[in-house]
Amino acid sequence: MAEVLVYVDHLDGAVRKPTLELLTLARRIGEPVAVALGNGAADTADVLAEHGAVKVLTAEAPEFADYLVVPKVDALQAAFDAVSPVAVLLSSSAEAKEIAARLAVRIGSGIITDAVDLEAGDAGPVATQSAFAASYTTKSRVSKGVPVITVKPNSAPVEAASAAGAVETLAVTFSAQATGTKVLSRTPRESTGRPELTEAAIVVSGGRGVNGAENFAIIEALADSLGAAVGASRAAVDAGWYPHTNQVGQTGKSVSPQLYIANGISGAIQHRAGMQTSKTIVAVNKDAEAPIFDLVDYGVVGDLFAVVPQLTEEINTRKG
Amino acid sequence: MSLRIVVTVKYVPDATGDRHFADDLTLDREDVDGLLSELDEYAVEQALQIAEAADDAEVTVLTVGPEDAKDALRKALSMGADKAVHVEDDDLHGTDALGTSLVLAKAIEETGYDLVISGMASTDGTMGVVPALLAERLGVPQVTLLSQVSVEGGVVRGRRDGDSASEELEASLPAVVSVTDQSGEARYPSFKGIMAAKKKPVKSLDLDDLGIDADEVGLAGAWSAVDSATERPARTAGTIVKDEGEGGKQLAEFLAGQKFI
Ligand SMILES: Cc1cc2nc3c(=O)[nH]c(=O)nc-3n(C[C@H](O)[C@H](O)[C@@H](O)COP(=O)(O)OP(=O)(O)OC[C@H]3O[C@@H](n4cnc5c(N)ncnc54)[C@H](O)[C@@H]3O)c2cc1C
Ligand SMILES: Cc1cc2nc3c(=O)[nH]c(=O)nc-3n(C[C@H](O)[C@H](O)[C@H](O)COP(=O)(O)OP(=O)(O)OC[C@H]3O[C@@H](n4cnc5c(N)ncnc54)[C@H](O)[C@@H]3O)c2cc1C
């Protein structure tokens, strides 16, 4: 059966959920061969095998952490040459899109980014994309070379499927470009204990209407009652009320959770670009004319300082 | 020696207008106004700041796009760029990311450069891949997605705020940089800037000038193909209630009904 290369997104061996989603999609096209790079690469094998990886190619070298992007491209290209897959799948993080792009040039292939679904087709995999702030749905194919496709988190279910997951060490020769961009220092993000924004099933966001950094406690309390991630509009981020890493939208994170709750957010096109594919959308806004209400499944016209705490309390009561 | 900076700028449909696909499933440019991609204004701004901090520098803005794309170049020139290059050719219609990067890379080499600065993503395709594609094609370091950037003594340094960490990066020139909208507000063109822009040189190049075959680009030469584009049905109108003291409870009831609680 045809092999599909799956690039593994992991942190010190802990595989991120979007990679497990990729394995579900990869199995629709062929047999997944996973490529895990860097510190802890071999530790990913068990969970990858439980989700359908027939083989796990691993490589560890200081270059992966010490230099930007290119060492990973070199390794993925080595895996590509070793396996001759029918497609290469990566999840749509900023870094993975860059890796995908450079690999595509090297192997002479087209690239599709931010797919929200993937099916086998007569002429190769067919990707569904959502365009123009999700106002269009497109079906695309790569027409030259071996398709390189990046897939947005939350685009497929995680499904258990046990497979061999045989671990093999991948031999990588680094290119002259590999050491071009040096990482002088790396400051890891502090964990909040909340789910990762792009992976979360529920996202609770606050905007300019939250009116101050300290008031974000109200948003966080609602998020915690639902086990949700916290998001913010750019207005809230620019005001310094919440970190940029929590920004949802065109220049922030793109999310498609089961439930998105927007509080004190007007719903500008750039915000919508990052959340419009959410399954269920809820908003609390005191302005009945706010454009966000055009998107909602349920909206409350009211003051968030009254509505949100009441909602949180009610949820906590119901959970008992 | 002078620092040659090339800024890649894209002409895109206004995101606040109604954007559509044309019958051939490429971008419909008829029905909506175009403008300089807002995210490329940040690239122009950083280029101008780097040029101002250097002893001797020249900022060239470059676009690949139809006739109207000159508007994007004029805007960048009125912000303060020195000159512009416009690659226009009927055969470019429908070019994908691989093709666009090929054309941009050839035009950058033709122009001469020490530093290329791009936006983090366009506001229409929003792929966020062109800077990495350019670095690969030009064979120079990529220093991308920077929220802070500086150039000194032939070295570019910057901060990249990634998903799990914030990184300080460094590379020797020549290099390709891309900047985010966190890099600093873009300046508005002054009246003087707008008047001066009218006199600045805009050089036009076509595929022949760049030695690119027509069948390497355009819709026919594209590495990817769009088979269908359907307008997403408008969301069915949701329930909207006015809070009269019970808004939070009503919302909880809805969430419980949807099994979120
Ligand atoms: C809705 C939509 C979906 C698309 N999907 C795909 C796809 O899946 N695969 C594919 O191969 N192509 C696709 N394309 C085409 C692709 O977006 C463009 O061909 C192309 O310009 C590169 O991608 P981008 O605009 O997303 O650029 P990005 O990579 O998002 O742009 C980053 C930066 O590159 C520079 N830049 C990009 N284009 C130009 C230009 N023409 N002139 C000057 N500078 C430029 C700018 O500095 C910009 O800020 C799509 C286009 C649209 C409108
Ligand atoms: C190139 C570019 C990229 C951008 N990228 C992004 C992005 O990634 N993400 C993003 O979010 N934006 C982005 N923006 C900004 C975007 O255009 C909007 O400015 C921004 O989304 C507005 O944030 P907001 O909705 O919080 O604020 P506003 O538009 O000011 O809305 C605040 C809302 O809160 C309501 N409100 C006020 N007080 C209360 C209260 N007590 N109770 C209930 N409701 C209340 C108001 O009625 C109003 O609707 C971008 C803009 C540009 C130009």
Side-chain angles (χ1 to χ4, degrees), chain A residues 269-285:
Chain A
I269 184 79
Q270 296 90 352
H271 188 79
R272 280 159 44 185
M275 49 66 74
Q276 203 155 352
T277 52
S278 304
K279 309 292 176 296
T280 300
I281 299 176
V282 167
V284 178
N285 193 306

Side-chain angles (χ1 to χ4, degrees), chain A residues 111 129, chain B residues 8-10 40 64 95-97 119 121-122 125-130:
Chain A
I111 179 173
Q129 283 169 294
Chain B
T8 57
V9 297
K10 192 176 184 189
D40 290 340
V64 175
T95 306
D96 66 0
S122 70
T126 66
M127 294 179 72
V129 296
V130 166

Side-chain angles (χ1 to χ4, degrees), chain B residues 162-225:
Chain B
D163 283 348
S164 56
S166 192
E167 296 164 330
E168 296 290 336
L169 305 175
E170 179 186 284
S172 296
L173 300 184
V176 173
V177 159
S178 77
V179 298
T180 72
D181 60 336
Q182 301 291 301
S183 60
E185 277 306 307
R187 68 193 66 185
Y188 286 104
S190 63
F191 179 70
K192 215 176 118 211
I194 293 167
M195 295 315 286
K198 297 194 167 135
K199 299 200 192 82
K200 290 178 180 171
V202 178
K203 182 172 167 182
S204 280
L205 297 174
D206 62 15
L207 289 173
D208 270 352
D209 296 325
L210 297 175
I212 298 172
D213 284 344
D215 59 11
E216 288 181 84
V217 294
L219 205 50
W223 280 259
S224 55

Side-chain angles (χ1 to χ4, degrees), chain A residues 35-195:
Chain A
V35 182
L37 307 174
N39 186 36
D43 300 341
T44 63
D46 288 351
V47 67
L48 296 171
E50 285 159 22
H51 293 87
V54 295
K55 207 188 285 177
V56 181
L57 304 176
T58 66
E60 293 196 33
E63 280 83 353
F64 295 123
D66 294 349
Y67 300 93
L68 192 73
V69 174
V70 188
K72 293 173 179 163
V73 183
D74 290 343
L76 197 55
Q77 188 182 11
F80 180 87
D81 292 339
V83 170
S84 300
V86 292
V88 183
L89 305 184
L90 305 88
S91 67
S92 280
S93 68
E95 184 189 41
K97 285 206 273 188
E98 294 185 331
I99 295 171
R102 299 188 72 133
L103 179 74
V105 173
R106 292 190 185 182
I107 64 177
S109 294
I111 179 173
I112 289 172
T113 58
D114 297 317
V116 295
D117 202 1
L118 200 61
E119 295 296 338
D122 296 338
V126 177
T128 306
Q129 283 169 294
S130 130
F132 301 144
S135 57
Y136 273 87
T137 302
T138 62
K139 300 256 188 212
S140 307
R141 277 175 301 113
V142 164
S143 40
K144 284 189 197 170
V146 174
V148 177
I149 299 172
T150 81
V151 180
K152 270 175 60 161
N154 281 333
S155 298
V158 172
E159 287 167 3
S162 108
V167 182
E168 279 175 31
T169 309
L170 179 69
V172 185
T173 315
F174 291 111
S175 64
Q177 272 77 43
T179 54
T181 308
K182 202 170 170 17
V183 179
L184 298 176
S185 71
R186 177 175 290 119
T187 316
R189 266 189 220 306
E190 260 176 61
S191 164
T192 58
R194 296 193 179 90

